[in-house]
Amino acid sequence: MQYVLEQSGELSREQAQEAALRFLCSMRLGPERGNRFCICGKDGRLLSPSGGESKCFAKEEGWTEIVSALAEKARNHGEGYVEIAEQSGQNVPKLIYVRAFAPWDWVIGFCVYTDETKPVIDHLIDLLNLSMLLAFGLILVTSILVFRVGRGEGASAGPSQKRLHSIFDQTNQFIGLLTLDGHTMTVNRPFLNFIGMLESEIVGQQFWDTPWWRHSEESQERLKRAIAEAREGETVRFGLSATNVQGDPRSIDFLIKPIMNDEGGIAYLMAEGHDITPRVKAEEALRYSEESYRELVEYAQSIIVRWTTEGTIVFANEFALNLFGYDEAEIVGSNILGTLMPRNQESEERWFSFVEEIGSSRKEAFSLEKGCNRKDGSEIWISWTNKPIFDYKDRFAEVLSVGINITDRKKAQDELEWLNEELELRVNARTLALEKSLESLKQAQEQLVESAKMASLGGLVAGVAHEINTPLGIGVTTISYLDDKAAELAERYDSGKVKRSDFEKFIKLCRESTSAISMNLERASELIQSFKQVAVDQTSEQRRKFKLKNYIQEVLRSLHSKYKDTSHTIEVTGTEISLLSYPGAIMQVLTNLLMNALTHAFEDRENGHVTIDVAPLEKGVRFTFIDDGQGMNEMIKSRIFDPFFTTKRASGGTGLGLHIVYNLVTQKLGGTISCESEAGKGTSFIIELPREAPVI
């Protein structure tokens, strides 16, 4: 219409296009008024009225590619469909009908979601019926004016005829005037564009022999009958198939009606057609979709039921009927309570709130699990998913319920809950028993640790006693020897036979003997002092300040008896560092590490070497116990600190030595211990301790 006003001179092109854009962009179609037109140029540029925007695709992902596809379709075919994949989170594709408007180089598209095809088509059919009535009225008026012009009502009719012909050509309808015997008098531009021919090539031909219909004898015969009926005064409407200039088959809604003259006779026949191919295709797609949907619903292995908000069942699929044991006649029209869902006081009291909850969920599904009864009274459990259905006035009218039989799952769940309860009771009982066993094990472990400590102390006592026996024995022997020599000298003196040389020898012997006695007594004193301090540290477990390197040497003196009969050497290196810690614990750590090395690292060896290195840290000390023994593989190394793990159980090993070391270092001394070892390459124990041990 705006183009017609432009052609008549009443509007400029800019005004006409602006008005057309505002009109098209304001239109909303479909049952939810959510479908709209998209207008763009053939170059793919979206068009919108001044101060507005085209909202059809601007927010879609890849909208520029969508518009380009529409423009290409219009350039190549003039009109057609473009289907695009889901956009903006939608779960269904869009179907876009596009058509070119050549005078303005416009491409006009109308888009819907494919799941909305039927309501949109119904809406468009309603509009189309109204449009057809309006078109018929317009065409009737047009025909009367043409008839009058044909009778020659004067030169003044020239401008009106021109304007009328413009309207005649710009309508989307196919319009032609025929003689009573069916010869073509004139056709409008859309009719000619459809087959790509000029009016001069058509005028004068029998209408059924024109290129529109030559492909189908059936269409030609139908036109002949329709023209004959219209010649008798009847208006005939029917459907035909035609082929356009591209060779595409099209469906035409056709009408032939008589045009009366002033005397009441029939002057001409008017042929009017409308290309309804998009509608036919949409209806076919819808019909196919409905058939597929119906087949899907009927043969789905789920319960599918539709019921009104009052509870009346309007549909139940075959699966639902078979599962519940009803015939369709028994179920359709019945209330869902008492049939598919149990009817009891609780369900009746909650019915209205239940329906209200479904309606308020709008597009969201409302789910619940419910125990239901079959027709024979047996119980089944159903997981229901309920979705509200709204009518064309957006009123909550029905509910679509989809159900799954979860009886087996429910039984399994109940059995599992029962088993879980039983298992929980068993676990609790077992836990109590394990706690008692663990407590007994802890007590036994503490006793074993204490026994190990006392055994270590006992070994220390035996070793020190053995060490002290040597210097004391030497002292006693020396004194006895000196006493014998003194008696000999006294006897010589009494008999008057003593010589100066005898006296000098005795003096020399006294000095050598007293020197030997003094040295051995000092050695015994050192051993006793070391043993005393170590024994006190071992038994008292008091925290005190001491020098670590010196204390290590004292402990080694106490342990010398353990390795003195071998060629093993022990070297203490590093820096002297003062600690406020538990020396007794450190003594036990060293003892266990040394005994572990003598027992395992130096097995079958007499010349092993141990290095104990002391190094300062920023807030503590690191001392490393390194042996060059046979080392360990990964399996043994990963378990050396485990309680009761030993490779010498057959030889009396308890597996507590290194476990005690680990506990003493990490708990009592507040440090860390790690082990590095490879088979055949020795072992290193790295111990890091704070300068001040935690108070226990």
Side-chain angles (χ1 to χ4, degrees), residues 54 219 246 274 282 391 393 451 455 486 504 570 602 610 621 650 675:
S54 177
S219 296
Q246 286 86 20
H274 181 69
D391 61 17
K393 292 185 178 180
S451 298
E504 289 176 351
I570 301 176
F602 300 144
V610 173
V621 62
C675 176

Side-chain angles (χ1 to χ4, degrees), residues 267-283:
Y268 304 99
L269 299 180
M270 183 185 68
E272 187 268 336
H274 181 69
D275 186 354
I276 59 170
T277 305
R279 189 185 77 186
V280 171
K281 288 184 177 179
E283 288 176 345

Side-chain angles (χ1 to χ4, degrees), residues 280-299:
V280 171
K281 288 184 177 179
E283 288 176 345
E284 289 177 354
L286 179 62
R287 187 161 47 251
Y288 175 78
S289 177
E290 287 180 342
E291 290 174 358
S292 300
Y293 171 75
R294 181 173 295 277
E295 183 177 352
L296 175 66
V297 169
E298 285 295 343
Y299 295 102

Side-chain angles (χ1 to χ4, degrees), residues 114-127:
T114 54
D115 64 342
E116 297 175 348
T117 304
K118 185 178 186 307
V120 171
I121 288 176
D122 292 342
H123 188 69
L124 291 176
I125 289 174
D126 293 339
L127 293 178

Side-chain angles (χ1 to χ4, degrees), residues 533 536-538 540-546 548 551 555 579-590 623 664-665 667-670 689-696:
Q533 185 62 63
V536 169
D537 291 336
Q538 181 80 346
S540 67
E541 299 185 350
Q542 295 296 313
R543 190 175 75 147
R544 67 180 177 86
K545 192 170 184 178
F546 60 95
L548 178 61
Y551 187 74
V555 172
L579 298 181
L580 179 59
S581 188
Y582 298 93
I586 292 177
M587 178 267 178
Q588 192 167 358
V589 167
L590 284 172
F623 76 88
L664 288 173
V665 171
Q667 297 178 22
K668 190 166 188 176
L669 298 176
L689 302 175
R691 291 182 186 270
E692 292 189 11
V695 177
I696 299 176

Side-chain angles (χ1 to χ4, degrees), residues 6 13 16 79 84 122 361 371 405 423 459 469 531 623 633 678:
E6 177 201 345
R13 171 158 292 194
E79 64 178 328
I84 61 174
D122 292 342
S361 64
N405 184 2
L423 181 61
N469 281 336
F531 168 72
F623 76 88
N633 59 36
E678 290 184 36

